[in-house]
Amino acid sequence: IESPDKAWYSQLKKVRGYIPEYLNNTDSVAAFGAGIDTEELVSVSYDPQFDDCSYNLMPELGSSILESSYIAVLNNLEGMKGFAMIINTLELAMNDSFLPDVTKFDAMLTLSAHHPAVLSKLMSTMFDLSFEIPSDGTVISITPPLVLPNPVNAVIRGDHVVIYTGEQADKMVLDLEHSSEAKKGLVKAHFDVGKIISGLNKLSESPKFIERYAGLADYIQKLNGLDFK
């Protein structure tokens, strides 16, 4: 992001949060991360430099944040620095129900914070979770809302609250403790359209899929003939 307005740009740079290095894995099916330092976001919303910006949006944004309940939400996020997710492997197969089964799934979700243990407790309270992740680095097993082929684990590793499943994610979570704090940013994303279409194509070749979604199966077959790079 570039801006000729130095005041606006300086404020934007302040709120940049943590972008984990594992998002650089271009062999993944998809990866997304948003780095927003909520402590800086709260302080920036009080900053009088908002009033000096040549864009009318920024003063209005600052006022709306201060006058709404968003500020309370941000304060409750306890120094969150960003969130990210990567899907290393995903394969689906049709069954007798409406939705397909997940036959292969390897993925990791991280919430990065200045105080991850506090954030973890807050999440358990806010979402009425049936588990609480220990602050001593102990890995626990959790029950996801969907049936997955591998166990789903949760752990606090370094500055991260981590939920993960699959062999590759098992290895990736070990590197989180050594992630560089110097890596800051707002957004990073990677989507391998070729892998996504290839996976959908395998699913669309299933007789059960063709029987239920003939039109969609035909459309996916056409997409598979395109050259995605």
Side-chain angles (χ1 to χ4, degrees):
I1 300 175
E2 294 184 6
S3 171
D5 193 313
K6 293 183 178 179
W8 184 88
Y9 193 61
S10 66
Q11 299 306 310
L12 187 63
K13 288 173 67 176
K14 284 183 180 179
V15 302
R16 290 182 304 169
Y18 180 72
I19 298 292
E21 293 183 7
Y22 69 75
L23 293 182
N24 294 325
N25 178 20
T26 55
D27 290 332
S28 62
V29 176
F32 175 81
I36 301 176
D37 193 318
T38 56
E39 287 186 353
E40 290 292 345
L41 185 58
V42 171
S43 64
V44 163
S45 29
Y46 283 103
D47 199 313
Q49 285 195 66
F50 266 150
D51 299 328
D52 298 329
C53 297
S54 62
Y55 297 105
N56 293 330
L57 172 64
M58 297 310 290
E60 293 173 4
L61 178 61
S63 299
S64 65
I65 289 177
L66 291 173
E67 293 171 1
S68 69
S69 60
Y70 291 138
I71 200 72
V73 175
L74 292 174
N75 282 326
N76 284 332
L77 287 176
E78 298 290 351
M80 185 171 173
K81 296 185 291 184
F83 68 90
M85 180 176 183
I86 186 168
I87 299 176
N88 298 308
T89 306
L90 174 61
E91 289 188 13
L92 305 174
M94 288 303 297
N95 55 28
D96 293 329
S97 63
F98 180 74
L99 295 175
D101 288 331
V102 181
T103 55
K104 289 186 179 181
F105 188 62
D106 189 300
M108 181 167 68
L109 169 71
T110 56
L111 297 172
S112 304
H114 295 285
H115 311 289
V118 177
L119 177 62
S120 175
K121 289 182 179 180
L122 178 66
M123 288 169 54
S124 296
T125 303
M126 288 179 62
F127 300 105
D128 194 23
L129 301 179
S130 59
F131 63 89
E132 186 172 309
I133 307 172
S135 59
D136 61 359
T138 301
V139 178
I140 64 171
S141 180
I142 64 176
T143 303
L146 296 176
V147 177
L148 297 176
N150 300 311
V152 179
N153 298 321
V155 67
I156 293 177
R157 180 77 66 182
D159 292 335
H160 317 282
V161 178
V162 192
I163 298 175
Y164 63 101
T165 181
E167 292 184 3
Q168 192 169 350
D170 283 344
K171 298 175 182 178
M172 295 173 70
V173 73
L174 297 176
D175 295 329
L176 283 174
E177 202 166 17
H178 309 290
S179 296
S180 172
E181 282 294 322
K183 294 292 181 72
K184 288 191 173 183
L186 284 175
V187 177
K188 186 164 187 174
H190 162 75
F191 299 95
D192 192 321
V193 179
K195 287 183 179 179
I196 295 172
I197 296 299
S198 177
L200 290 174
N201 183 56
K202 290 180 181 178
L203 182 66
S204 69
E205 291 174 345
S206 164
K208 290 183 179 180
F209 189 93
I210 296 173
E211 180 183 348
R212 296 178 197 171
Y213 314 107
L216 180 58
D218 183 60
Y219 180 72
I220 292 173
Q221 292 291 333
K222 292 178 180 178
L223 285 177
N224 190 56
L226 301 178
D227 184 18
F228 290 99
K229 294 182 178 180

